Structure formats: C-alpha cells, structure tokens
Amino acid sequence: MYATQDDIVTLYTLDALVVADRDGDGVPDSDAITRALVSASSEIDTSLHVRYDLPLTTDHAILTQYCVDIALYRLAGSAATMTDELRQRYEDALKGLEHIASGKKRLLIPIVEGDDDAPSDGGPSPIVTGGPERLFSRAKMRGL
C-alpha cells in the first residue's frame, strides 16, 4: 500500500476520517479505511505498471498523497459526505497518475550502482567523442 490511516491523519487531520464512519458512532471504520487504501493502491499500480517495475522499492510522497486522495473519495460514497474538495483532489490524483503513465511526469527512482537490470530513467547518456575515420570528408570529396 502506498498510504496508511496515519498518512490520512498527517495530511488532513483526524477530521478527514469522518467519511469512514460507517455506523454513525463517531469512530472511523478501520476496515473500510484499509479497503479504500488497498483499492487506491491497486489503481495507482495499474497506472504505474506501464512505466515502472512493480512493486516500487522506495516510497514516494506524491504516491502517498494520491493514494490518500483516492481513498478518501471512495470512502465518501454518499452525497452527505461528498464534497467538491474531495472530488477535485480525486480528479487531480487521477490526472497526476495519467501524466506519470504517459511520461509527462516521472517518479525519481534512484538507480543502484552496478545494477545492470536497473531501468533507464531517461537521464543523460555519456558523450562519445571517438569513432571510426569518416568515409566522406571535404578532402576525400574534392574533385567530385
């Protein structure tokens, strides 16, 4: 999972979990929160798999944010708890994932030295300054 219940509280305070109070007793339903976070993580994975080998080995704050925003949107299934802010955060998360999947954005994944299986992150390639003698040069083409 890309986020936990503690991440929700850290990002948006305990008040954000009002959408997870399934029985109306004022206490968020931990099982519902876990299901929403697992579902949100799966949605993130379906977007990332086109660009990255999964599972990712490092944490990414943006993925935690996206996971929380998607989970809270899913938890707010009723009109009574749905807000424009939750919907906007959800749509922004989906748009961010779409940008990562399309290559407009990318996750900064460190490459381990000596890891020949590490995926290319699209960074700069070494400059090659040597090579074979030129077949066509001004001197060779003179008189033609």
Side-chain angles (χ1 to χ4, degrees):
M1 276 194 315
Y2 294 101
T4 64
Q5 184 171 335
D6 290 339
D7 291 324
I8 295 172
V9 173
T10 299
L11 289 169
Y12 297 120
T13 75
L14 192 59
D15 294 339
L17 293 176
V18 70
V19 296
D21 182 9
R22 295 292 186 239
D23 54 8
D25 65 354
V27 178
D29 181 358
S30 294
D31 291 338
I33 294 168
T34 301
R35 281 191 305 275
L37 290 170
V38 167
S39 177
S41 295
S42 294
E43 184 164 349
I44 290 170
D45 282 345
T46 60
S47 294
L48 295 182
H49 88 281
V50 298
R51 290 247 174 234
Y52 300 98
D53 291 330
L54 299 177
L56 297 176
T57 57
T58 56
D59 293 334
H60 298 278
I62 193 67
L63 296 182
T64 300
Q65 180 75 52
Y66 291 164
C67 187
V68 166
D69 291 342
I70 292 168
L72 288 175
Y73 175 81
R74 292 209 173 130
L75 284 167
S78 69
T81 55
M82 180 58 69
T83 65
D84 289 336
E85 182 179 356
L86 284 176
R87 180 179 306 283
Q88 187 62 53
R89 286 182 192 160
Y90 172 74
E91 290 172 0
D92 290 347
L94 293 184
K95 188 178 291 183
L97 289 171
E98 182 180 308
H99 285 190
I100 292 170
S102 70
K104 289 181 182 177
K105 291 183 179 180
R106 66 181 180 152
L107 299 175
L108 300 177
I109 297 177
I111 296 177
V112 179
E113 285 296 319
D115 185 3
D116 293 336
D117 295 330
S120 171
D121 68 348
S125 299
I127 298 173
V128 178
T129 58
E133 183 180 341
R134 293 181 63 174
L135 295 176
F136 301 100
S137 66
R138 289 182 187 206
K140 289 181 180 179
M141 299 297 292
R142 192 161 293 150
L144 292 177

